[in-house]
Amino acid sequence: MVDGTEDGGARLVPLGPDGLPAGPVLTEPDLVGAVRSRPGVGRWVWRSTGAVHPRLLAAGVRVERCYDMEAAEQLLLGHEGHLGEPRSAAAAWARLHHRPVPPDPPLRAAEPGAQSPLFEPATGQDLPFEGLLEVYADQQRRHAAAEHPGRMRLLTAAESAGMLVAAEMTRAGLPWRPEVHRAVLHELLGERYAGGGEPRRLAELADEVSEAFGRRVRPDLPADVVKAFAQAGITIRSTRRWELAKIDHPAVEPLIAYKKLYRIWTAHGWSWLQDWVRDGRFRPEYLPGGTVSGRWTTNGGGALQIPKVIRRAVVADDGWRLVVADADQMEPRVLAAISRDPGLMEVAGHADDLYTRLSDRAFSGDRDHAKIALLGAIYGQTSGDGLKNLAALRRRFPRAVAYVDDAAKAGEEGRLVRTWLGRTSPRAAGAAEADEAGIPQEGGEEPLTDGEFTPGYASVNARARGRFTRNFVVQGSAADWALLMLAALRQALSGMRAELVFFQHDEVIVHCPAEEAPAVAEAIRTAGDTAGRIAFGDTPVRFPFTTATVECYFDAK
């Protein structure tokens, strides 16, 4: 175990398999030097990767493995039904000793381009080194008491590896060409007006919307748009694109165009470029496990929502390439592995298109119906044609459908569900908590795509929670697999110049010299199957990737 001191030093102690000290506590004058001088350490245990790893990376020190106590505490709290309680080491120690639990410090605002301030001591979060040892030993006992101890330990190791990857991706940065970005913005939005107002194209579209309604309407204000349609005799619940597209009115076309460009201007416009791109790199702060299902988020920068047109600015360095890899039908393959359905495992045991094979087995060659049926089972789309398709799926793959049905029933009854490795769903929540957690609500969208549910606006009910838990066991298990894939890929790249520079859910980007690209693509493919074997055991399920080696991210899809 290692812990930094306020003067830049470190306290260290070797740990035994029981989590207890296996030697004396040592004090070193320099944390970086202490870690650098011990290259043979198999795994470093520390309170938070974000508080240590960036400093090591800045000094050129690479850590192979770590145990992140804060990440472990969050996973253990969830497993014990207390997700959302403070996860700091100080909070864990207070719970252990039945003392008042200090709240976690608020997430600091992202400071693009600035050095991470995470080394500054957090008020009320100081804990003596002896306290850290107590917390770590207690976490080992709690891992042993988990429903599946081996899986829970693997989940903690995977989450800790994800923390290392996240810090390294932040430091490496995504290659970005500001001059290309500016050209794209000018092409889409036109000239910028003095004073920071809307650029020319947005102003023109706003005028078209107003002209269509016969009065001045602010297209950037949803309430104003809803009111304008109401005055035109058209009732809409929201200004979402899918709802607008169903309306026959001359304002619809310029309004949809405005909304699309407005989002680019506000989320990835000139101000964003100035704030977030430095020295040809975009360096967001990645947050592994940022959602309850284990998916990643970012603290500022919007890295996980880069519009396709803006990807034209993501260009490899001269002589380098971007290897962009997408996991193919990841969640259906995960369902096959966790449900142990023989038929679906056979379908998922090939690297070619899963939905085509599924359609040949159960849907008379209709790929679209096969896809709707399988994603409908995962996401809870069980009405209309979805119900008929689900019946066909249930006849051919009963264990797979029963797996998600059982998870849905557990959610409806207020029980917790877990991913294959043990990440646990939150308890039933009210409307405000549901919005934060991503629980679908009555009236919300249920997209048949691989993604988080989009929360709606009404109160949560039992059926809505059932849809959430149905998806959680699959989506969360997919997030667990992705962590292991990243860990395996990170290890495979350790002897190359290649760098992991981007990850979101089912997509990974590696920036590498052109001559390393074939080896990187093969490493990604191998990492997918390695992660499947480690996570789910010996199953026939394959986890293939579609890879593209390109100079520009835009050209990958």
Side-chain angles (χ1 to χ4, degrees):
M1 175 181 288
V2 61
D3 191 41
T5 61
E6 292 185 13
D7 60 1
R11 286 181 292 269
L12 307 95
V13 67
L15 299 172
D18 56 1
L20 298 175
V25 176
L26 304 176
T27 300
E28 298 277 1
D30 176 50
L31 183 147
V32 172
V35 175
R36 194 198 302 272
S37 64
R38 293 168 172 81
V41 172
R43 180 179 69 171
W44 288 96
V45 177
W46 50 48
R47 70 173 75 198
S48 168
T49 302
V52 178
H53 197 42
R55 183 174 175 183
L56 298 176
L57 290 174
V61 177
R62 187 180 188 276
V63 171
E64 292 297 327
R65 297 174 61 212
C66 79
Y67 176 100
D68 188 305
M69 294 175 66
E70 286 190 356
E73 188 66 18
Q74 179 163 294
L75 293 172
L76 289 166
L77 285 170
H79 194 276
E80 295 156 358
H82 300 294
L83 188 67
E85 292 189 12
R87 67 172 190 163
S88 70
W93 184 87
R95 279 190 292 267
L96 184 60
H97 290 275
H98 308 289
R99 297 191 179 185
V101 178
D104 287 338
L107 184 68
R108 62 170 176 78
E111 298 180 26
Q115 177 66 34
S116 171
L118 291 174
F119 292 99
E120 298 173 4
T123 303
Q125 297 296 313
D126 294 339
L127 184 67
F129 193 66
E130 294 73 16
L132 288 179
L133 290 170
E134 288 185 71
V135 169
Y136 178 72
D138 182 61
Q139 287 184 345
Q140 302 318 296
R141 291 190 290 269
R142 292 158 67 194
H143 275 93
E147 184 176 0
H148 297 286
R151 295 184 195 175
M152 194 65 189
R153 292 190 185 98
L154 179 58
L155 176 61
T156 299
E159 192 89 326
S160 297
M163 297 291 178
L164 293 176
V165 171
E168 290 166 2
M169 289 202 312
T170 296
R171 179 164 183 81
L174 187 63
W176 205 281
R177 298 287 177 91
E179 68 280 7
V180 175
H181 192 150
R182 294 188 189 96
V184 169
L185 293 177
H186 188 272
E187 173 188 322
L188 295 174
L189 301 171
E191 298 81 10
R192 302 169 68 186
Y193 293 141
E198 291 183 341
R200 174 181 54 79
R201 184 58 186 143
L202 282 179
E204 291 172 350
L205 288 169
D207 289 340
E208 290 180 35
V209 171
S210 296
E211 183 178 349
F213 282 119
R215 70 173 184 84
R216 193 65 191 170
V217 175
R218 288 278 302 275
D220 59 321
L221 299 179
D224 204 17
V225 174
V226 171
K227 181 180 178 181
F229 274 116
Q231 290 175 344
I234 300 172
T235 300
I236 59 173
R237 295 189 304 168
S238 74
T239 59
R240 294 172 187 252
R241 180 173 181 174
W242 62 267
E243 187 167 357
L244 292 175
K246 297 184 295 185
I247 300 170
D248 182 14
H249 190 279
V252 169
E253 184 176 347
L255 182 58
I256 290 177
Y258 179 96
K259 287 169 62 66
K260 179 179 180 180
L261 294 181
Y262 183 82
R263 177 166 179 77
I264 290 174
W265 177 53
T266 56
H268 290 92
W270 292 278
S271 295
W272 181 93
L273 179 61
Q274 181 177 353
D275 288 342
W276 285 99
V277 177
R278 291 283 188 278
D279 303 320
R281 292 292 186 273
F282 168 39
R283 295 185 174 88
E285 181 182 343
Y286 295 94
L287 301 177
T291 68
V292 293
S293 68
R295 283 191 179 183
W296 289 26
T297 58
T298 58
N299 181 21
L304 306 187
Q305 295 88 31
I306 302 174
K308 180 172 175 60
V309 67
I310 299 298
R311 295 176 187 178
R312 287 159 57 182
V314 182
V315 181
D317 293 345
D318 292 341
W320 287 53
R321 297 293 184 269
L322 299 172
V323 180
V324 182
D326 281 294
D328 296 333
Q329 301 103 26
M330 178 176 67
E331 290 183 352
R333 293 176 187 277
V334 166
L335 175 58
I338 62 180
S339 68
R340 297 303 205 253
D341 186 291
L344 192 56
M345 284 196 294
E346 194 281 327
V347 168
H350 303 269
D352 54 1
D353 183 66
L354 180 145
Y355 298 123
T356 298
R357 284 188 172 270
L358 184 68
S359 68
D360 292 340
R361 287 282 300 273
F363 293 91
S364 303
D366 192 323
R367 184 184 183 278
D368 289 341
H369 279 186
K371 181 175 181 179
I372 289 172
L374 191 50
L375 291 181
I378 295 172
Y379 285 89
Q381 186 77 21
T382 55
S383 60
D385 287 341
L387 188 61
K388 181 176 66 175
N389 293 328
L390 182 62
L393 194 71
R394 182 176 281 112
R395 286 194 298 271
R396 290 299 186 100
F397 310 106
R399 292 181 65 176
V401 177
Y403 194 93
V404 288
D405 282 349
D406 289 346
K409 183 178 179 181
E412 290 170 359
E413 294 174 352
R415 292 182 282 127
L416 301 178
V417 298
R418 307 191 199 282
T419 67
W420 183 257
L421 294 186
R423 192 185 303 272
T424 306
S425 65
R427 291 193 178 279
E433 292 86 350
D435 248 1
E436 182 177 349
I439 298 173
Q441 302 180 41
E442 198 66 21
E445 291 184 69
E446 299 175 72
L448 288 182
T449 58
D450 294 342
E452 295 275 9
F453 279 115
T454 301
Y457 303 99
S459 62
V460 179
N461 59 22
R463 181 171 173 271
R465 180 167 172 79
R467 292 199 303 273
F468 168 71
T469 51
R470 170 189 293 275
N471 180 244
F472 180 92
V473 294
V474 181
Q475 187 181 97
S477 297
D480 297 347
W481 168 85
L483 285 169
L484 291 167
M485 179 275 297
L486 286 173
L489 179 57
R490 176 179 184 264
Q491 185 178 37
L493 299 180
S494 62
M496 306 183 191
R497 296 171 65 194
E499 296 178 315
L500 268 163
V501 293
F502 186 75
F503 166 70
Q504 63 169 356
H505 180 48
D506 59 356
E507 181 181 58
V508 64
I509 300 179
V510 176
H511 187 222
C512 64
E515 62 271 17
E516 288 185 356
V520 168
E522 181 58 33
I524 293 172
R525 287 189 285 268
T526 300
D529 284 328
T530 298
R533 185 175 63 254
I534 294 173
F536 308 121
D538 187 16
T539 76
V541 179
R542 296 285 308 279
F543 292 90
F545 281 86
T546 296
T547 60
T549 299
V550 296
E551 293 185 47
C552 176
Y553 185 20
F554 180 87
D555 296 329
K557 296 180 181 179

